[in-house]
Amino acid sequence: MTIERISAVLCVADLSAAKSWYEAFFGRPADAAPMPSLLEWHEGSGGIAVLEKPDRAGLGYATIHVDSIDAHRAALSARGLTLGPRQSGDAAGIAQIADLAGNVITLAQRRLDAGAE
């Protein structure tokens, strides 16, 4: 038995508005639209699925591990989106952004000097 992909599912009330926001977030159109109420962006071994489900809108969280928060901040800014302030922890730094529905996406960058396990 093999798991091929795991996706975070973020619910929104208005898929049309969310489509524009996520296209700006990812810098490209959705990779798939398997149903009229669902859009998918595939990244690495996972992805984000955006589902139109008004009763669950804005309650989701997703974490995306990145190589550089600063590079992603600059790219998002160029596309009209603002990433929140950087927060530092023992092993990683994070910055967050919320979509139009209020779902929170955390960008996490592992510290290079974090101890090897």
Side-chain angles (χ1 to χ4, degrees), residues 50 59 66 92 106:
V50 179
L59 301 175
V66 299
T106 300

Side-chain angles (χ1 to χ4, degrees), residues 31-55:
D31 294 304
M35 302 180 329
S37 61
L38 181 66
L39 297 169
E40 296 177 346
W41 280 264
H42 304 154
E43 291 292 335
S45 64
I48 290 183
V50 179
L51 177 65
E52 188 171 64
K53 191 168 179 68
D55 62 320

Side-chain angles (χ1 to χ4, degrees), residues 29-105:
D31 294 304
M35 302 180 329
S37 61
L38 181 66
L39 297 169
E40 296 177 346
W41 280 264
H42 304 154
E43 291 292 335
S45 64
I48 290 183
V50 179
L51 177 65
E52 188 171 64
K53 191 168 179 68
D55 62 320
R56 301 286 300 161
L59 301 175
Y61 291 88
T63 299
I64 300 173
H65 299 268
V66 299
D67 58 347
S68 170
I69 289 173
D70 293 336
H72 284 271
R73 180 183 307 285
L76 289 169
S77 179
R79 295 191 296 262
L81 299 177
T82 303
L83 188 61
R86 185 184 191 105
Q87 302 169 47
S88 294
D90 291 341
I94 65 167
Q96 296 178 315
I97 188 169
D99 70 9
L100 298 175
N103 295 301
V104 176
I105 300 172

